[in-house]
Amino acid sequence: MLKPDFIKEGDKIAIVSTARKIDIKEIEDALYILKQWKLVPVVGATIGLTNHQFAGTDEERRSDFQKMLDDQEIKAIWCARGGYGTVRIIDDIDFSQFRKHPKWIIGYSDITVLHSHLHNLGFCSLHAPMPVDIHKGTRESIDTLRDAIFGRNITYTVSPSKKNIPGICTGQLIGGNLSMLYSMCGSGSSLNTSGKILCIEDLDEYLYHIDRMLQNLKRNRYFEGLSGLIVGGMTKMHDNNIPFGKKPKQIILDIVKEYGFPVVFKFPMGHIEDNQTLIFGAQASLQITKNEVKLKYL
């Protein structure tokens, strides 16, 4: 798995939206942070564009992303926000120049489409906070983003959950938003998870739908040969008037119990304030004990 060159002071970082619309005022904190890190922000044409809920038409969003992807002076693309829309343009993006001059693609949530696609092309990317919500992030979430793009060492130590399944495993980190992973099954962006550590998180979903999505991943053999499972925020979950009868942790445990790989819950990733940056595609070691959880890159 290839890693793009790490960022250095003075490099240009593009901010674009491949999904939901966003105003320039909503990225002011991100612009300030990039300048504090002595980087040069380049605001894409999609910032401020509106086409119903999208940041411009499909073609406008594709064109903006393509322009930044092909520009060799741009060393990273920081996706402004998620929502929905990246899947509508992914098959029309030309990655030929990116293959020659790879750069970091940064984001989470709907940006899982890009992470998965890039993984299948053989490139690492960053599952990380985005400009729309960087102001809500913990110090750790911002620090891990800075450390990741500058190539500094990152390790993660997490308090244990009673529901964790202890164990030690290694593998490439992959995954992202559960709803997006579910929606890509059967497509060219679907993941081969064998021997890897799968990360999942989600927001604003019904409990029965969490079960349905995981059942679909199981039927698509996502859990066969999996090295380990990292579960981040399962945020703002809903139930029906007739309760589903299980919370997210139990839904997950019931589905994966037959496989025997280690599982960690409440990892700092996803739609939470402590959304720490993960290097997708990087080889990592995950150690889960009753007292502590540690993730480090190899």
Side-chain angles (χ1 to χ4, degrees), residues 76-178:
I77 300 175
W78 196 6
C79 296
R81 68 168 307 157
Y84 171 69
T86 308
V87 73
R88 295 172 60 95
I89 65 173
I90 188 63
D91 291 327
D92 294 319
I93 297 171
D94 180 0
F95 287 92
S96 58
Q97 288 301 312
F98 173 86
R99 289 176 183 268
K100 298 175 184 177
H101 307 284
K103 59 191 68 178
W104 291 104
I105 308 300
I106 308 166
Y108 75 107
S109 191
D110 192 64
I111 311 308
T112 299
V113 175
L114 288 169
H115 292 313
S116 298
H117 201 83
L118 290 169
H119 185 83
N120 289 346
L121 292 177
F123 294 92
C124 293
S125 58
L126 298 180
H127 185 277
M130 295 186 286
V132 71
D133 56 14
I134 194 73
H135 66 285
K136 300 177 182 178
T138 63
R139 172 50 53 187
E140 289 77 12
S141 70
I142 297 172
D143 286 348
T144 53
L145 174 57
R146 179 199 61 208
D147 291 345
I149 63 175
F150 283 105
R152 300 168 186 169
N153 185 49
I154 306 173
T155 58
Y156 313 81
T157 302
V158 182
S159 298
S161 169
K162 292 180 180 180
K163 296 286 189 179
N164 286 352
I165 298 178
I168 299 174
C169 64
T170 60
Q172 293 174 349
L173 294 181
I174 57 170
N177 181 260
L178 176 59

Side-chain angles (χ1 to χ4, degrees), residues 1-294:
M1 192 64 59
L2 297 175
K3 288 183 181 178
D5 291 337
F6 291 111
I7 303 303
K8 60 182 185 301
E9 291 183 1
D11 281 348
K12 294 181 178 180
I13 311 298
I15 299 179
V16 304
S17 181
T18 58
R20 190 180 290 270
K21 63 183 178 181
I22 185 169
D23 188 82
I24 186 70
K25 292 182 179 179
E26 296 178 87
I27 68 167
E28 287 180 349
D29 289 298
L31 296 174
Y32 174 79
I33 287 172
L34 290 179
K35 292 174 183 177
Q36 286 292 105
W37 293 348
K38 298 182 179 179
L39 299 172
V40 181
V42 178
V43 178
T46 45
I47 306 304
L49 278 187
T50 297
N51 181 260
H52 302 292
Q53 65 179 249
F54 300 113
T57 63
D58 290 350
E59 175 54 27
E60 286 172 327
R61 298 196 318 282
R62 184 211 62 81
S63 177
D64 195 24
F65 186 82
Q66 188 74 62
K67 177 184 176 182
M68 301 305 185
L69 202 65
D70 293 344
D71 188 339
Q72 293 182 35
E73 291 188 358
I74 301 295
K75 302 304 180 182
I77 300 175
W78 196 6
C79 296
R81 68 168 307 157
Y84 171 69
T86 308
V87 73
R88 295 172 60 95
I89 65 173
I90 188 63
D91 291 327
D92 294 319
I93 297 171
D94 180 0
F95 287 92
S96 58
Q97 288 301 312
F98 173 86
R99 289 176 183 268
K100 298 175 184 177
H101 307 284
K103 59 191 68 178
W104 291 104
I105 308 300
I106 308 166
Y108 75 107
S109 191
D110 192 64
I111 311 308
T112 299
V113 175
L114 288 169
H115 292 313
S116 298
H117 201 83
L118 290 169
H119 185 83
N120 289 346
L121 292 177
F123 294 92
C124 293
S125 58
L126 298 180
H127 185 277
M130 295 186 286
V132 71
D133 56 14
I134 194 73
H135 66 285
K136 300 177 182 178
T138 63
R139 172 50 53 187
E140 289 77 12
S141 70
I142 297 172
D143 286 348
T144 53
L145 174 57
R146 179 199 61 208
D147 291 345
I149 63 175
F150 283 105
R152 300 168 186 169
N153 185 49
I154 306 173
T155 58
Y156 313 81
T157 302
V158 182
S159 298
S161 169
K162 292 180 180 180
K163 296 286 189 179
N164 286 352
I165 298 178
I168 299 174
C169 64
T170 60
Q172 293 174 349
L173 294 181
I174 57 170
N177 181 260
L178 176 59
S179 295
M180 297 314 304
L181 295 172
Y182 163 77
S183 73
M184 290 184 287
C185 283
S187 76
S189 303
S190 187
L191 293 168
N192 176 357
T193 60
S194 181
K196 301 172 186 179
I197 300 173
L198 179 64
C199 308
I200 60 173
E201 62 82 26
D202 219 322
L203 167 75
D204 198 27
E205 285 288 351
Y206 278 85
L207 295 173
Y208 84 91
H209 193 47
I210 294 293
D211 185 78
R212 176 164 63 187
M213 291 188 290
L214 290 167
Q215 293 288 354
N216 189 48
L217 294 193
K218 181 177 181 178
R219 297 187 71 207
N220 278 273
R221 301 183 176 180
Y222 264 52
F223 304 125
E224 293 182 16
L226 192 66
S227 183
L229 180 64
I230 291 174
V231 182
M234 288 290 169
T235 312
K236 297 181 180 178
M237 295 288 112
H238 308 288
D239 207 350
N240 299 101
N241 291 332
I242 302 175
F244 184 71
K246 297 177 185 177
K247 299 297 185 183
K249 287 182 184 179
Q250 196 57 53
I251 293 171
I252 293 167
L253 288 173
D254 286 350
I255 287 174
V256 306
K257 62 184 177 183
E258 66 188 80
Y259 300 101
F261 49 71
V263 180
V264 57
F265 292 99
K266 292 186 177 181
F267 196 88
M269 63 162 287
H271 292 80
I272 56 176
E273 291 183 359
D274 195 21
N275 179 22
Q276 298 188 28
T277 298
L278 294 170
I279 306 175
F280 277 1
Q283 195 78 7
S285 170
L286 176 64
Q287 181 176 348
I288 306 169
T289 69
K290 291 183 179 180
N291 300 317
E292 192 176 60
V293 175
K294 283 191 175 182

